Amino acid sequence: MSATLELGSEHTRARGYFKNPWRKPRVLQGVTIAYLLWSILPVVIAVIFSFNGGRSRIVWQGFSMRWWTSDPTDSILHDPQMRAALAQTYRLAILVVLISVPIGTLFAIGIDRWHGRPARSANFIMLLSFVVPEIILGTSLFILLTTLLTFVDLGTEAQTLGLAVFQVSYPAVIVRARLLTIGPEYEEAAMDLGAKPNQAIRRVLLPLIAPAILASVALVFADVVDDFVTVNALSGAASSETVAQKIYSASRASPTPEVNAAATVMLVTTLLIVSIGLLLYRRIARGQGGGGVADL
């Protein structure tokens, strides 16, 4: 009888727990932890095996810096092809950031100031890059460059142009979202106090949207570093191959942990750029939140 009562009380408590809207989200926490483990563990394993002493990427054969510096031919320090791929990856990332972020920022400001059907059409066309599959965009750009714009050589020039076209959408969306939150009041106040329109943009608007610009830089850099589809479609000579292409080519043959080491370098660089962008974003946003717009 007592066992039955205990079972009934436990059942009642369980029903009360699930009916309580203020209960701790145990199920959501479990799903979140499982998702994070599923996402992060393969990356952690790949990083660990970049320090493997043997050629296997499955069996651990002892800690070694062979694939980083020690091996005279196959380490990323001594492999000229891998060093060239790393340099090409970062070259494209920097060039695309320098091109797409300013253009995307100006596009966002223009769309925010320009109203009507043409502005909505331009905004829709810009957002299409998020919907159109990247393979279609890369193939279309390849056909365009090889049939009409033949003065643009395949390789670094074509890759930079194609990636910039695709990446302009990110700063445009992020900066415009920031513009919608701050409104036009600050610029209007600056011009009421005697500032010219270009001065209001340079000394008031740009500091206010600086956090969004920094976030765009970090996002575009990270996205370009691991891009494969557009880069592969517009690649030319072997010197234009990136690390993503090298990893893809090696995965179809017999890859060594050197590939893991190169991927680890890309991962660390991306995390570093994103972390710096986040720190600067918080610092600038904190200054603006504390009434520091004038200080900027």
Side-chain angles (χ1 to χ4, degrees), residues 264-285:
T264 302
V265 172
M266 294 172 57
L267 175 65
V268 172
T269 305
T270 303
L271 291 177
L272 183 62
I273 294 297
V274 172
S275 299
I276 293 174
L278 180 61
L279 290 174
L280 292 175
Y281 173 88
R282 288 182 175 179
R283 183 175 180 180
I284 296 175

Side-chain angles (χ1 to χ4, degrees), residues 163-181:
L163 289 170
V165 169
F166 181 74
Q167 296 294 332
V168 162
S169 301
Y170 289 103
V173 170
I174 296 173
V175 173
R176 192 174 181 215
R178 174 65 173 169
L179 288 170
L180 291 175
T181 61

Side-chain angles (χ1 to χ4, degrees), residues 43 46-48 50-51 65 67-69 75-77 82-83 85-87 89-90 221 225-226 243 247 257-273:
V43 178
V47 172
I48 291 174
S50 68
F51 300 97
M65 295 294 292
W67 308 107
W68 290 84
T69 58
S75 63
I76 58 175
L77 181 64
M82 189 60 73
R83 292 203 312 270
L86 284 168
T89 300
Y90 295 132
F221 185 92
V225 163
D226 68 348
V243 174
I247 293 174
E258 180 193 10
V259 173
N260 296 52
T264 302
V265 172
M266 294 172 57
L267 175 65
V268 172
T269 305
T270 303
L271 291 177
L272 183 62
I273 294 297

Side-chain angles (χ1 to χ4, degrees), residues 99-227:
I99 295 173
S100 62
V101 173
I103 293 177
T105 301
L106 294 175
F107 187 89
I109 296 174
I111 291 297
D112 187 69
R113 301 293 184 268
W114 184 26
H115 302 285
R117 184 174 298 176
R120 291 193 296 269
S121 301
N123 189 44
F124 174 76
I125 294 173
M126 181 270 298
L127 292 174
L128 273 179
S129 61
F130 289 110
V131 180
V132 177
E134 191 177 358
I135 183 64
I136 296 178
L137 181 62
T139 305
S140 302
L141 287 172
F142 173 79
I143 296 173
L144 176 66
L145 295 178
T146 54
T147 56
L148 295 179
L149 306 179
T150 54
F151 57 89
V152 179
D153 297 328
L154 292 177
T156 302
E157 294 182 13
Q159 290 169 336
T160 302
L161 180 61
L163 289 170
V165 169
F166 181 74
Q167 296 294 332
V168 162
S169 301
Y170 289 103
V173 170
I174 296 173
V175 173
R176 192 174 181 215
R178 174 65 173 169
L179 288 170
L180 291 175
T181 61
I182 62 177
E185 293 82 8
Y186 295 100
E187 287 180 84
E188 294 173 356
M191 287 187 285
D192 288 341
L193 294 174
K196 297 179 180 179
N198 60 344
Q199 291 177 325
I201 293 176
R202 187 178 68 254
R203 304 185 64 176
V204 177
L205 183 63
L206 289 181
L208 285 172
I209 64 175
I213 296 175
L214 288 173
S216 302
V217 169
L219 181 60
V220 170
F221 185 92
D223 198 51
V224 172
V225 163
D226 68 348
D227 189 277

Side-chain angles (χ1 to χ4, degrees), residues 1-20:
M1 184 67 179
S2 61
T4 304
L5 291 175
E6 290 178 1
L7 183 61
S9 62
E10 290 179 2
H11 180 69
T12 303
R13 284 197 299 268
R15 291 182 60 186
Y17 172 78
F18 285 105
K19 289 183 177 180
N20 181 15

